[in-house]
Structure formats: structure tokens, C-alpha cells
Amino acid sequence: MCAGARSKGAACVGGATRSKRVPRAVREQQMLDAGVRAFARSGYQNASMDDIAELAGVSKPLVYLYLHSKEELFTACIRREAAALVTAVRAAVERDAPADRQLWSGLSGFFAHTAEHPDGWRLLHTQARTRGQPYALEVAAMRAEIVEFVKQLIGAAARERAGGVPRARGLADTEVSGLAHALVGAAESLADWAGDRKAGGPSAKEAAATLMNFAWAGLGNLLRGERWPPERTG
């Protein structure tokens, strides 16, 4: 009996078997993994604590002991996935590279992460936003942090590409924030499309290249003073 137990990672004490104790931090991550999967695929309302406990390989009382309630579990899942996405984008940026390369590497990191963690992205972009406050506020805070980071990258790219032209400094002061919001919004939509490969969505690299070409070409026009005039609409 003990020999069989050892093969499954259990301890043998006095001829009886006893499961090895799993560290709390590891067990909690297993519960969060299960929660992300259940909430992303079934939605908050349809995901049950019984299902989540089964996915995590633990009892339902243990899930409540660690995370207290379904609402707190949902919040913990959102916070973990949001932090992971922000970390991935920041870590992907090539700090000492030219400004365009920094922006490209950041976009690549964003799309690579959302492609590798589709349940996490679906949780953030679809499930959390549709549950209202306070869950939508958690996602909004994550988005604001990414927008601010992208704003810094675009501002640096504008100054570098303009080569000190005064027009670029005006762009950095008055338009970079709007460009950052637009770029992040476009990235979010592209991530949804890229995540649906069955529908012909692009790969993470293709999505990053599409958005980079769009952003970089537009930024170049702005720096040359080639703005689209609203009066053309009549």
C-alpha cells in the first residue's frame, strides 16, 4: 500500500498513507487558475463554486476558506490576470532600443500574452466588464496603467522621430494621450480577433505588425504636419 502511495506523491506513516501538504500559495494559485477558466468560459453567473473546486482538485469548503466568497474569488482572478498582463507588456519592451522598437516590442508582448492566456483575456475584456462595478473598475485601472505606459512610449517615439522639431513637442503635449487611448483600444479589439484563429484571426505577431504599421505611419504623417482637416467633410 505504501509503495503505491509513494508513486502518487503521498507519504507513508505507520503503514497508512497521508497526502503531502500543498503549500497555501500553490493551492491558492490552483484555485485561481480554476476560477479564471470557469468564469471565462461559463460567465460569472453560470460558474459554480462546485465546478471551480472540482477543477482545482479541492473541496468547496477549502475554496471558501481561502477566498471567502464567489465575489472575492472573481475579484482575485481579475486582479491576478490584470497584473500579469501589465507585467508582460512592461517586461517585453526593449528598453535600450530605438523608440519604434520599444513600441513594437510592447505591442508584441501584449498580443503574445493575450494569445497565450485566452481565458485570462476573456475574463478581463468580456466577463469583468459586463459585471458592473467594482469589477469593471478593476479593469479600468489596469487599462489606465497600460495607456499611461503607451503614452510614454509614443511620446518618446514622437520626439525621436521628429529629431527635435518643435512640432513634435506640441504633439507630445496635446495629442499623445489621445493616440495612446486609441492605440490601446485598437489593441484590445485586435486581441479579440487574434484570439479567434478558427475565424481566420491573425497570429500575435501579425496583429502586432498590423497595429504598428497603422500607428507608426499615422505618427509619421502627424510629425510632418500632414493632418487630416475636418473641413474636408464640408
Side-chain angles (χ1 to χ4, degrees), residues 101-126:
R101 188 72 191 181
Q102 291 189 42
L103 186 57
W104 157 255
S105 58
L107 288 173
S108 296
F110 174 85
F111 287 113
H113 183 85
T114 56
E116 291 168 6
H117 303 87
D119 286 339
W121 176 243
R122 192 176 300 113
L123 174 73
L124 293 173
H125 197 234
T126 303

Side-chain angles (χ1 to χ4, degrees), residues 78 124 129 134-147:
I78 293 169
L124 293 173
R129 287 181 168 183
Y135 311 116
L137 292 178
E138 295 283 350
V139 178
M142 173 205 72
R143 192 177 193 275
E145 185 174 352
I146 293 178
V147 166

